[in-house]
Amino acid sequence: MNTPDADLRLADRLALRDLVEAYAHGVDRRRLEEVGLLFLADGVLASHNGDPAEVPAFATRNGRDEIVRVMEMVRRYDVTSHVLGQQMLQFDTTDPDRAIGITYCMAHHVWAPDGIRVNKVMSIRYHDRYLRTAQGWRFAERRLAVDWTEERPMGTEH
């Protein structure tokens, strides 16, 4: 039986999936200013080599301006493709406007260092804290956990 609370949570789950998809699409299409707007004004983006609960961040960016600036690094690649997997969400039981989640992703980065095309594949998990605002759900904090990377040689065709 659907209840108003269950319907609201389903809508929230869909909205949070839309948020992480907008992030991946924005990065892949180089719409970096749009990606920045998916964060709170004082949002945090941190990168970890492994689980954020076990290893400190090797890079942390605070606020939209810093987040957009670091995103510029993606332009070194000819193309990127973020393929999102499962997403697990947990809603704050005392505040309906807060949630946490983990989203899995296989990220492909195609480039030609030294003139040889390679696909740098990254298995990553995004550990997120979300906050609902007047504009919808936003990232309060996004911790990128790199589980492994592999560089795969490619042919010369696109």
Side-chain angles (χ1 to χ4, degrees):
M1 171 182 245
N2 283 353
T3 64
D5 285 345
D7 290 343
L8 176 63
R9 282 300 174 229
L10 179 58
D12 287 339
R13 286 182 177 281
L14 291 172
L16 289 169
R17 184 62 186 201
D18 285 347
L19 178 67
V20 300
E21 288 177 355
Y23 175 96
H25 180 75
V27 171
D28 289 342
R29 300 282 57 94
R30 309 303 189 260
R31 296 179 182 160
L32 306 180
E33 291 293 331
E34 292 174 22
V35 171
L37 293 174
L38 300 174
F39 287 81
L40 297 177
D42 62 350
V44 174
L45 176 64
S47 298
H48 300 256
N49 282 320
D51 195 311
E54 298 172 3
V55 297
F58 64 82
T60 301
R61 302 295 184 255
N62 297 293
R64 288 183 183 141
D65 290 342
E66 283 188 21
I67 291 168
V68 170
R69 264 195 311 278
V70 76
M71 290 282 185
E72 288 292 331
M73 292 188 327
V74 76
R75 294 189 191 280
R76 77 175 92 171
Y77 301 106
D78 297 333
V79 66
T80 58
S81 180
H82 289 72
V83 182
L84 300 175
Q86 67 267 32
Q87 181 184 44
M88 296 166 295
L89 298 169
Q90 183 178 8
F91 293 93
D92 188 313
T93 58
T94 62
D95 186 343
D97 296 330
R98 294 184 182 277
I100 60 172
I102 299 174
T103 304
Y104 285 69
C105 177
M106 294 298 289
H108 298 264
H109 305 76
V110 177
W111 61 328
D114 303 320
I116 299 169
R117 290 186 67 212
V118 296
N119 179 4
K120 180 179 181 181
V121 182
M122 301 173 71
S123 175
I124 55 181
R125 289 171 288 122
Y126 294 106
H127 293 249
D128 298 323
R129 281 191 315 109
Y130 310 104
L131 181 69
R132 186 194 331 256
T133 70
Q135 294 74 37
W137 286 98
R138 294 293 181 262
F139 296 108
E141 180 180 74
R142 178 154 252 216
R143 295 194 169 273
L144 185 153
V146 180
D147 288 325
W148 57 264
T149 63
E150 176 186 21
E151 289 195 7
R152 301 174 182 171
M154 297 181 66
T156 57
E157 299 298 316
H158 282 101

